[in-house]
Amino acid sequence: MTWLKTGLALLAFAVFSFQLISYGVAEQPYDPYAEQPLKNPAQENQAQDLMHTLRCLVCQGQSIADSNAAMAADMRAIVRHDIEKGWSPEQVRRWFIDRYGDWVSYKPTWSKRSWPLWILPLVILSGGIFLITRLFKREEKP
């Protein structure tokens, strides 16, 4: 009989906990800028182009233009707000990079930390060309 009381108490606790959790999870207010295009077509084109170059922080493999995540919707709203205020796409990109790091942008930038990633392929390519020319170089006869 005690195991029945314990089981019922655990069941009641689980149901009560689930109700508290579901009650505490409220949807964020909808921002119309997340999905609604800007009235100015030139600004909307700038915003769309920028959205395709920013990475969704939740999905990580999608741009914010392609992602359905709530975070991507918030990021789209920020892009549209800032473009409408007159910011250039590069200023908006810089704002996101300053807050989330270089990883948020699909367009890599030259920096003190990333220069080896830009130079190393050139060094490897040059070394490969040098080795191939040395291997196939004809021996000159005296």
Side-chain angles (χ1 to χ4, degrees):
M1 197 60 150
T2 59
W3 62 271
L4 183 60
K5 288 180 181 177
T6 305
L8 288 174
L10 286 174
L11 181 63
F13 177 74
V15 169
F16 181 70
S17 298
F18 178 74
Q19 287 178 345
L20 282 178
I21 291 170
S22 64
Y23 178 74
V25 177
E27 291 196 20
Q28 294 181 340
Y30 176 73
D31 190 342
Y33 280 99
E35 304 303 330
Q36 179 181 352
L38 295 171
K39 292 177 183 168
N40 183 337
Q43 287 182 331
E44 179 60 25
N45 287 339
Q46 287 180 334
Q48 284 294 325
D49 291 344
L50 179 58
M51 285 185 236
H52 284 287
T53 64
L54 293 174
R55 185 187 314 263
C56 175
L57 301 173
V58 175
C59 304
Q60 299 179 0
Q62 290 181 314
S63 69
I64 63 171
D66 300 328
S67 174
N68 292 328
M71 181 71 176
D74 291 342
M75 292 171 76
R76 286 192 300 270
I78 290 169
V79 167
R80 284 193 173 112
H81 276 290
D82 291 346
I83 294 288
E84 190 175 50
K85 284 192 296 189
W87 288 24
S88 73
E90 194 51 43
Q91 287 174 315
V92 178
R93 178 191 322 284
R94 180 72 7 225
W95 185 88
F96 277 106
I97 289 172
D98 289 345
R99 273 133 192 92
Y100 302 111
D102 290 332
W103 186 83
V104 76
S105 177
Y106 279 122
K107 287 186 174 180
T109 58
W110 181 276
S111 69
K112 293 176 185 176
R113 291 185 342 201
S114 68
W115 72 265
L117 297 174
W118 291 92
I119 301 297
L120 192 60
L122 297 174
V123 171
I124 291 172
L125 182 65
S126 300
I129 291 172
F130 176 76
L131 286 175
I132 289 173
T133 57
R134 296 281 294 178
L135 288 173
F136 293 108
K137 186 176 179 181
R138 293 183 186 181
E139 291 184 22
E140 295 180 21
K141 294 183 181 180

